[in-house]
Amino acid sequence: EYSHIGNLSTFLNNMPMKEKYVKIYMTQLSHATNYLYNHNIIHRDIKPENILVFNNQIIKLTDFGFAKIFNTNSDNELMSHTICGSPIYMAPEIIKCNKYSIKTDLWSIGIIFYQMIVGKLPYKASTHIELLNKIDTNPIYIPMDISISNYGCDLLFNLLQSDPKKRIGWKD
């Protein structure tokens, strides 16, 4: 399907969005990824370039080239080792070559959420090592000039927990 507007990266154009619009897009992204989860699929490459934007504030998740079927309904039972995805959107456990679960998609969604609300990525790095170092040493913060509700802030910080055991689960 052709999108006249393009992908989410082009649409955002490094500009912050008001939370009421972010909520519209994040709700749709949540429904799309929850659908995958309910059908035992992990996407593993969620990023703005893989989200098409249509008229009437509709988005569609695309590019299932790294998607994988898993055989459990528990957040903690599926473990994989394959390194895939775009580094800046990859969960830290993937970059560290640790086992990972379906919660990795939640990290990616958190990075996109941050990017939509702030207008830029939370980390800039030129290597995997530099990115990991920044994730481990620089906590996420919301700039003072960005308006976000307590609920939005709480959701964002729960999605961007570098320890997957502390990261919010799909049921939450």
Side-chain angles (χ1 to χ4, degrees), residues 105-118:
D105 280 349
L106 290 169
W107 173 272
S108 302
I109 290 168
I111 295 291
I112 293 168
F113 182 11
Y114 183 95
Q115 188 175 5
M116 286 194 289
I117 205 80
V118 176

Side-chain angles (χ1 to χ4, degrees), residues 132-148:
L132 268 178
N133 185 44
K134 287 185 176 187
I135 291 170
D136 288 342
T137 60
N138 300 332
I140 297 286
Y141 76 96
I142 306 292
M144 296 298 289
D145 61 334
I146 300 296
S147 176
I148 185 170

Side-chain angles (χ1 to χ4, degrees), residues 6-143:
N7 65 44
L8 186 61
S9 180
T10 303
F11 179 72
L12 290 174
N13 196 27
N14 297 318
M15 299 293 294
M17 296 175 74
K18 291 185 178 186
E19 185 175 1
K20 67 181 183 178
Y21 299 112
V22 172
K23 185 176 179 181
I24 292 168
Y25 294 117
M26 289 302 294
T27 299
Q28 291 176 68
L29 185 55
S30 168
H31 287 265
T33 51
N34 192 49
Y35 177 87
L36 295 176
Y37 171 70
N38 287 332
H39 288 83
N40 299 331
I41 299 168
I42 181 173
H43 189 282
R44 300 194 304 176
D45 195 22
I46 298 175
K47 59 185 178 182
E49 292 82 357
N50 290 340
I51 300 170
L52 296 179
V53 182
F54 296 86
N55 292 330
N56 302 321
Q57 300 172 329
I58 301 294
I59 61 170
K60 294 186 181 184
L61 184 60
T62 65
D63 192 352
F64 292 84
F66 287 134
K68 179 178 181 176
I69 295 175
F70 62 92
N71 297 320
T72 181
N73 289 326
S74 170
D75 282 353
N76 297 317
E77 290 182 29
L78 166 73
M79 293 295 197
S80 189
H81 292 84
T82 309
I83 296 177
C84 53
S86 300
I88 198 67
Y89 298 96
M90 269 185 209
E93 58 269 25
I94 294 177
I95 300 170
K96 292 177 182 177
C97 299
N98 292 340
K99 289 182 180 180
Y100 59 89
S101 72
I102 59 174
K103 285 188 172 186
T104 61
D105 280 349
L106 290 169
W107 173 272
S108 302
I109 290 168
I111 295 291
I112 293 168
F113 182 11
Y114 183 95
Q115 188 175 5
M116 286 194 289
I117 205 80
V118 176
K120 62 181 181 177
L121 292 164
Y123 305 106
K124 287 184 181 180
S126 54
T127 67
H128 288 75
I129 301 296
E130 182 183 1
L131 178 59
L132 268 178
N133 185 44
K134 287 185 176 187
I135 291 170
D136 288 342
T137 60
N138 300 332
I140 297 286
Y141 76 96
I142 306 292

